[in-house]
Amino acid sequence: MKNQARVSAPSAPVSPLSVAYSNTQANISRPVEITGHISLPAEFYEKYKESEVFQKGLPRVEFYHTERMIHLTAGEGDQTIYVVGRLTTHAIYEDLKVFHREWMPSKEADIYFEDRKSYFGPKHEGYQEVSETLDQKKLASISCFDDFKLHLPIFNEVPMDVENGNYVWLEMGTQPDLTGTSYVYFMSSQFAEMAQKVKDEVFAEQRERLKDLICIDIY
């Protein structure tokens, strides 16, 4: 859409619509898209469901399971609004190249965790063990494998819940090179299973809040 305007909403679920609209009736004159926190579509609907934009066309919500995205469409023609909520993966997976299995110097990994002790929870449970393991790898002459638990959410939009399993196991492989420098790579064999569990719970909660609209599942 050539005239589509994009409005960035805050990443936190606290009053995300206030930056986009000052008019509580949600009157619009051209197509608008708002993107942000995964709960944004439900919050928008609950706030504006009595407004004119929901009285036209066929308001609907599409649940994109693979993309971990919820897309609400309301209004019609030039007065259409799109509200998109997304689940975004925690930065550690990109930082440590978890899905690419790339090697990095163990010293670099040690510094990374030293700067992010909060990943191990308020008491830094397990951090010392990981740090000592990485120190040992710097002097290791053989390949080996370890795993450890990190207390952090899988998705930025879903608070950590250790009791319900919302934390991550990382697996670390190590390999010295010919110069004696130790390298490590990280992987998480449980990520897909745990991410699916969290996503399903989030989608179910959002679907309940949006049940009065047409809901479409797209895989």
Side-chain angles (χ1 to χ4, degrees):
M1 282 166 289
K2 296 181 180 178
N3 296 324
Q4 190 173 35
R6 294 180 180 273
V7 182
S8 296
S11 59
V14 180
S15 301
L17 303 174
S18 60
V19 297
Y21 296 96
S22 58
N23 188 335
T24 58
Q25 296 305 309
N27 293 325
I28 56 177
S29 59
R30 59 177 178 170
V32 174
E33 178 175 315
I34 310 174
T35 62
H37 193 278
I38 188 66
S39 65
L40 195 59
E43 291 175 9
F44 183 90
Y45 173 66
E46 289 166 355
K47 183 171 183 178
Y48 296 115
K49 60 185 177 182
E50 302 300 331
S51 67
E52 185 179 354
V53 72
F54 280 103
Q55 311 310 314
K56 296 182 177 180
L58 293 173
R60 65 187 183 277
V61 183
E62 296 163 330
F63 291 82
Y64 290 85
H65 291 258
T66 301
E67 290 82 2
R68 302 186 179 113
M69 175 181 73
I70 301 175
H71 188 167
L72 179 152
T73 303
E76 62 181 5
D78 291 338
Q79 294 189 326
T80 301
I81 191 163
Y82 307 93
V83 184
V84 182
R86 298 179 184 275
L87 285 172
T88 54
T89 307
H90 194 279
I92 192 173
Y93 299 101
E94 182 63 28
D95 293 345
L96 298 181
K97 306 296 188 292
V98 170
F99 303 123
H100 306 288
R101 197 163 168 168
E102 294 183 14
W103 294 93
M104 65 189 299
S106 58
K107 183 177 181 180
E108 181 180 328
D110 200 8
I111 294 172
Y112 177 84
F113 287 118
E114 170 69 24
D115 293 339
R116 297 166 176 82
K117 291 181 182 178
S118 61
Y119 284 2
F120 295 84
K123 297 182 179 179
H124 302 163
E125 179 184 352
Y127 166 73
Q128 193 63 36
E129 179 182 351
V130 173
S131 180
E132 290 175 357
T133 299
L134 286 167
D135 284 340
Q136 294 171 5
K137 303 313 179 193
K138 297 171 191 174
L139 306 174
S141 59
I142 59 174
S143 302
C144 52
F145 200 79
D146 296 276
D147 62 3
F148 51 91
K149 180 169 64 177
L150 292 180
H151 294 280
L152 76 166
I154 294 173
F155 301 114
N156 294 314
E157 295 77 11
V158 183
M160 179 176 64
D161 185 351
V162 176
E163 290 185 2
N164 290 327
N166 192 7
Y167 54 79
V168 177
W169 280 98
L170 274 189
E171 298 154 58
M172 176 176 64
T174 64
Q175 174 70 60
D177 68 5
L178 295 177
T179 67
T181 301
S182 177
Y183 286 83
V184 299
Y185 72 83
F186 296 91
M187 60 184 292
S188 180
S189 59
Q190 292 186 335
F191 174 84
E193 178 183 348
M194 296 176 73
Q196 183 68 34
K197 172 180 176 290
V198 174
K199 189 219 71 174
D200 288 347
E201 291 173 354
V202 171
F203 273 32
E205 188 269 340
Q206 293 297 299
R207 181 183 291 275
E208 178 63 24
R209 294 173 64 181
L210 293 161
K211 63 183 179 181
D212 294 332
L213 297 178
I214 298 172
C215 292
I216 304 169
D217 288 299
I218 300 174
Y219 292 90

